[in-house]
Amino acid sequence: VPSVTSISGDLSVLIWFRTSGPNVSAARLIEFDYINGFWLGQAATGTPSSNWGGGIKEANSPYGIFLQFSDNEWNLISSVRSSTTHFLYKNNLVSSTSNTVSGTVLSSTAGMYIGAADNVGSVPFNGRIGQILIYNRALTQQEILQNYNATKNRFVNALPPVRNNLILEYDATIVASYPGTGTTWYDISGNNYNGTLTNGPVLSSTG
């Protein structure tokens, strides 16, 4: 990740993740110098392997706060520092915990790493990371729930469309169907019923 030397004030970190099997103790989702900054990942040895969380400037065991997340399915973990309180939330606020932390500036010269604790891959995460959001303010519970509901269909119960007897499929969100320019809208059903755009329609990123 490009160099982030300091983060002052409140902070919110939200990560969609899914484990793909056993993880090493303290496997990292994200690391920004746990002693002087923050981290999110699996709890250390001696706690259930399904416990995930992290800390903010917590250099001593247990190095943060943790909640139990289901293995092998998508979860949203949200870590929020508001003044000197660290809040940790699971998914749609189904469970939460908190503790008292330092409210001073988070700083590091080590850099920020995703899926490991450093650039040589220490304590790697075994799974998939779908989205990372970092805010320089403390999100409210309502805002975390809004983010969960806005993104959950990408990860939770995301079923593919019914394809049995599908004879035509145009999808402007898929480059293979429409690359963003030109007048051909390609049928990706496999039946090659390609269409021709007339009268100058344009692709828009808004609804």
Side-chain angles (χ1 to χ4, degrees):
V1 175
S3 177
V4 179
T5 57
S6 66
I7 299 174
S8 61
D10 295 342
L11 170 76
S12 300
V13 182
L14 285 68
I15 300 178
W16 276 101
F17 74 101
R18 176 181 179 136
T19 60
S20 296
N23 270 273
V24 298
S25 174
R28 292 299 201 267
L29 295 171
I30 191 168
E31 167 79 20
F32 180 60
D33 186 351
Y34 74 94
I35 295 176
N36 300 299
F38 69 87
W39 73 282
L40 283 173
Q42 188 183 56
T45 302
T47 56
S49 62
S50 55
N51 277 10
W52 294 80
I56 298 176
K57 302 193 78 167
E58 297 178 69
N60 299 310
S61 181
Y63 308 104
I65 51 179
F66 306 91
L67 294 169
Q68 189 166 351
F69 287 78
S70 298
D71 291 326
N72 301 309
E73 64 181 55
W74 283 103
N75 291 283
L76 176 65
I77 187 170
S78 303
S79 174
V80 178
R81 181 173 76 167
S82 178
S83 185
T84 58
T85 302
H86 178 205
F87 298 96
L88 187 72
Y89 301 102
K90 173 184 176 180
N91 292 326
N92 57 343
L93 312 181
V94 66
S95 61
S96 63
T97 187
S98 65
N99 69 340
T100 301
V101 296
S102 169
T104 59
V105 173
L106 308 181
S107 62
S108 174
T109 59
M112 186 179 295
Y113 302 94
I114 296 170
D118 52 36
N119 61 0
V120 295
S122 300
V123 288
F125 171 62
N126 178 22
R128 289 182 281 173
I129 296 175
Q131 183 186 60
I132 298 175
L133 301 173
I134 300 178
Y135 299 83
N136 62 354
R137 66 181 181 89
L139 267 61
T140 66
Q141 290 188 5
Q142 182 179 356
E143 289 174 320
I144 289 172
L145 185 59
Q146 179 179 336
N147 273 359
Y148 175 84
N149 289 328
T151 56
K152 67 179 180 179
N153 286 337
R154 302 184 196 176
F155 307 104
V156 181
N157 298 323
L159 298 176
V162 175
R163 308 199 70 83
N164 187 31
N165 293 107
L166 179 68
I167 62 171
L168 183 147
E169 181 179 6
Y170 296 149
D171 191 332
T173 67
I174 297 177
V175 172
S177 183
Y178 186 66
T181 59
T183 59
T184 301
W185 199 350
Y186 296 96
D187 172 24
I188 55 176
S189 72
N191 295 309
N192 296 316
Y193 292 124
N194 301 326
T196 300
L197 302 175
T198 59
N199 298 319
V202 295
L203 180 67
S204 174
S205 60
T206 59

